[in-house]
Every structure is written in structure tokens, then in C-alpha cells.
Coordinates of all heavy atoms in Angstrom, one line a residue:
E1 N 1.4 8.0 3.9 CA 2.1 7.8 5.2 C 1.9 6.5 5.8 O 0.9 5.8 5.5 CB 1.8 8.9 6.2 CG 0.3 8.9 6.6 CD 0.0 10.1 7.5 OE1 0.9 10.8 8.0 OE2 -1.2 10.3 7.7
I2 N 2.9 6.0 6.5 CA 2.8 4.7 7.2 C 3.3 4.9 8.6 O 4.3 5.4 8.9 CB 3.6 3.6 6.4 CG1 3.4 2.3 7.0 CG2 5.1 4.0 6.3 CD1 3.9 1.1 6.1
T3 N 2.5 4.4 9.6 CA 2.8 4.5 11.0 C 3.8 3.4 11.4 O 4.2 2.5 10.6 CB 1.6 4.4 11.9 OG1 1.1 3.0 11.8 CG2 0.5 5.3 11.4
N4 N 4.3 3.5 12.6 CA 5.2 2.5 13.1 C 4.5 1.1 13.2 O 5.2 0.1 13.2 CB 5.9 2.9 14.4 CG 4.9 3.2 15.5 OD1 3.7 3.2 15.3 ND2 5.3 3.5 16.7
G5 N 3.2 1.1 13.3 CA 2.4 -0.1 13.3 C 1.9 -0.5 11.9 O 1.1 -1.4 11.8
R6 N 2.5 0.2 10.9 CA 2.2 -0.1 9.5 C 0.8 0.2 9.1 O 0.2 -0.3 8.1 CB 2.5 -1.6 9.1 CG 4.0 -1.9 9.1 CD 4.3 -3.3 8.6 NE 5.7 -3.5 8.3 CZ 6.7 -3.7 9.1 NH1 6.4 -3.7 10.4 NH2 7.9 -3.8 8.7
R7 N 0.1 1.1 9.8 CA -1.2 1.6 9.4 C -0.9 2.6 8.3 O 0.0 3.5 8.4 CB -1.9 2.2 10.5 CG -3.4 2.7 10.1 CD -4.1 3.1 11.4 NE -3.5 4.3 12.0 CZ -3.6 4.5 13.3 NH1 -4.2 3.7 14.1 NH2 -3.0 5.6 13.8
T8 N -1.6 2.6 7.2 CA -1.3 3.5 6.1 C -2.5 4.5 5.8 O -3.6 4.3 6.2 CB -1.1 2.7 4.8 OG1 -2.3 1.9 4.5 CG2 0.1 1.8 4.9
N9 N -2.1 5.6 5.2 CA -3.1 6.6 4.8 C -2.6 7.2 3.5 O -1.4 7.4 3.3 CB -3.1 7.7 5.9 CG -4.2 8.7 5.6 OD1 -5.3 8.4 5.3 ND2 -3.9 10.0 5.8
Y10 N -3.6 7.5 2.6 CA -3.3 8.0 1.3 C -4.1 9.2 0.9 O -5.3 9.3 1.3 CB -3.6 6.9 0.2 CG -2.7 5.7 0.4 CD1 -3.2 4.6 1.1 CD2 -1.5 5.6 -0.2 CE1 -2.4 3.5 1.3 CE2 -0.7 4.4 -0.1 CZ -1.2 3.4 0.7 OH -0.5 2.2 0.8
I11 N -3.6 10.1 0.1 CA -4.4 11.2 -0.5 C -5.3 10.5 -1.5 O -5.0 9.4 -2.0 CB -3.5 12.2 -1.2 CG1 -4.2 13.4 -1.6 CG2 -2.8 11.6 -2.4 CD1 -3.3 14.5 -2.1
D12 N -6.5 11.1 -1.7 CA -7.5 10.4 -2.5 C -7.0 10.1 -3.9 O -7.3 9.0 -4.4 CB -8.7 11.4 -2.7 CG -9.6 11.4 -1.4 OD1 -9.4 10.5 -0.5 OD2 -10.5 12.2 -1.3
S13 N -6.2 10.9 -4.5 CA -5.7 10.6 -5.9 C -4.8 9.5 -5.9 O -4.5 8.9 -7.0 CB -5.0 11.9 -6.4 OG -3.9 12.3 -5.6
A14 N -4.2 9.0 -4.8 CA -3.3 7.9 -4.8 C -3.9 6.6 -4.4 O -3.3 5.5 -4.6 CB -2.2 8.2 -3.8
K15 N -5.1 6.7 -3.8 CA -5.8 5.4 -3.4 C -6.0 4.5 -4.6 O -6.5 4.9 -5.6 CB -7.1 5.8 -2.7 CG -6.9 6.5 -1.4 CD -8.3 6.8 -0.8 CE -8.1 7.5 0.6 NZ -9.3 8.0 1.2
G16 N -5.7 3.2 -4.4 CA -5.8 2.2 -5.4 C -4.7 2.2 -6.5 O -4.7 1.3 -7.3
R17 N -3.8 3.2 -6.4 CA -2.7 3.2 -7.4 C -1.4 3.1 -6.7 O -0.4 2.5 -7.2 CB -2.8 4.5 -8.2 CG -4.0 4.7 -9.0 CD -3.9 5.9 -10.0 NE -3.6 7.1 -9.3 CZ -2.6 8.0 -9.6 NH1 -1.8 7.7 -10.6 NH2 -2.4 9.1 -8.9
F18 N -1.2 3.7 -5.5 CA 0.1 3.8 -4.8 C 0.0 2.9 -3.6 O -1.1 2.8 -2.9 CB 0.4 5.2 -4.4 CG 0.6 6.2 -5.5 CD1 0.5 5.8 -6.9 CD2 1.0 7.5 -5.2 CE1 0.8 6.7 -7.9 CE2 1.3 8.4 -6.3 CZ 1.1 8.0 -7.6
T19 N 1.1 2.3 -3.2 CA 1.2 1.5 -2.0 C 2.5 1.9 -1.3 O 3.6 1.8 -1.8 CB 1.2 0.0 -2.3 OG1 0.1 -0.3 -3.0 CG2 1.3 -0.8 -1.0
I20 N 2.3 2.3 0.0 CA 3.5 2.6 0.8 C 3.8 1.4 1.7 O 2.8 0.8 2.2 CB 3.2 3.9 1.7 CG1 4.5 4.4 2.4 CG2 2.1 3.7 2.6 CD1 4.4 5.7 3.0
S21 N 5.0 1.2 1.9 CA 5.4 0.0 2.8 C 6.8 0.4 3.4 O 7.4 1.3 3.0 CB 5.5 -1.3 2.0 OG 6.5 -1.2 0.9
R22 N 7.1 -0.4 4.4 CA 8.4 -0.2 5.1 C 9.0 -1.5 5.5 O 8.4 -2.5 5.7 CB 8.2 0.7 6.4 CG 7.3 0.0 7.4 CD 7.0 1.0 8.6 NE 8.2 1.6 9.2 CZ 8.2 2.7 9.9 NH1 7.1 3.4 10.0 NH2 9.3 3.1 10.5
D23 N 10.4 -1.5 5.5 CA 11.2 -2.6 5.9 C 12.1 -2.1 7.0 O 13.1 -1.4 6.8 CB 12.0 -3.1 4.7 CG 12.8 -4.4 5.1 OD1 13.1 -4.6 6.3 OD2 13.2 -5.1 4.2
N24 N 11.7 -2.4 8.2 CA 12.4 -1.9 9.4 C 13.8 -2.5 9.5 O 14.7 -1.9 10.0 CB 11.6 -2.2 10.7 CG 10.4 -1.3 10.8 OD1 10.3 -0.3 10.1 ND2 9.5 -1.7 11.6
A25 N 14.0 -3.7 9.0 CA 15.3 -4.3 9.0 C 16.3 -3.6 8.1 O 17.5 -3.6 8.3 CB 15.2 -5.8 8.6
K26 N 15.8 -2.9 7.1 CA 16.6 -2.2 6.1 C 16.5 -0.7 6.3 O 17.1 0.1 5.6 CB 16.2 -2.5 4.7 CG 16.5 -4.0 4.3 CD 16.1 -4.2 2.9 CE 16.4 -5.7 2.5 NZ 16.1 -6.0 1.1
N27 N 15.7 -0.2 7.3 CA 15.5 1.2 7.5 C 15.1 1.9 6.3 O 15.6 3.0 5.9 CB 16.8 1.9 8.1 CG 17.0 1.6 9.6 OD1 16.3 0.8 10.2 ND2 18.0 2.2 10.2

């Protein structure tokens, strides 16, 4: 998950492998 302030949180199995990001200009 990613907050509106771009703080991120991952399930343990995803840490180091997955990256969540957002582009507010593109929704």
C-alpha cells in the first residue's frame, strides 16, 4: 500500500522484491 504522502508498506513476502508507486498526474 502507498499513502497519499507516498509512505509505503509491504507484506513480508514482498519486501525487497516488489515496489509500489503512484503518479498523481496520471491517477
Side-chain angles (χ1 to χ4, degrees):
E1 59 184 350
I2 184 167
T3 69
N4 57 357
R6 290 186 166 81
R7 187 173 62 209
T8 58
N9 185 43
Y10 299 90
I11 193 172
D12 283 347
S13 60
K15 291 178 181 177
R17 300 189 301 130
F18 294 2
T19 303
I20 189 171
S21 61
R22 64 190 298 159
D23 185 336
N24 289 341
K26 295 182 178 180
N27 284 6

